[in-house]
Amino acid sequence: MIVPASLLGNWQREAEKFAPAMSVCMLHGKGAHALGELALQTPAFLTVTTYGMAARIPQLKEIFWDCIVLDEAQ
């Protein structure tokens, strides 16, 4: 899932509240290389990052995604 940075916390809280057993990987708060390695090493049901980080993490291209959700927060 790709979201505006202002919604990262909201999506994390929603996942914890409505699907506490679902594995979630939040890709934010570190450099692109570190986050890319985290994405590759931590398979999760839901991966959440920002538009800016999605463009800077080359490893995201190496993952087969079943679905990609773009939250525009409008």
Side-chain angles (χ1 to χ4, degrees):
M1 172 173 279
I2 302 174
V3 304
S6 62
L7 294 182
L8 282 171
N10 183 59
W11 275 107
Q12 187 168 20
R13 286 188 301 277
E14 294 292 310
E16 290 169 358
K17 180 178 179 181
F18 294 107
M22 180 174 59
S23 58
V24 178
C25 179
M26 300 295 289
L27 299 179
H28 186 71
K30 297 180 182 174
H33 180 73
L35 291 175
E37 292 302 313
L38 177 65
L40 292 175
Q41 296 171 9
T42 311
F45 184 81
L46 177 65
T47 299
V48 183
T49 194
T50 64
Y51 285 93
M53 289 310 300
R56 291 192 296 270
I57 301 173
Q59 293 95 328
L60 294 178
K61 296 176 193 173
E62 299 174 30
I63 299 171
F64 175 81
W65 302 100
D66 291 320
C67 178
I68 297 175
V69 177
L70 306 174
D71 183 341
E72 296 184 34
Q74 294 183 5

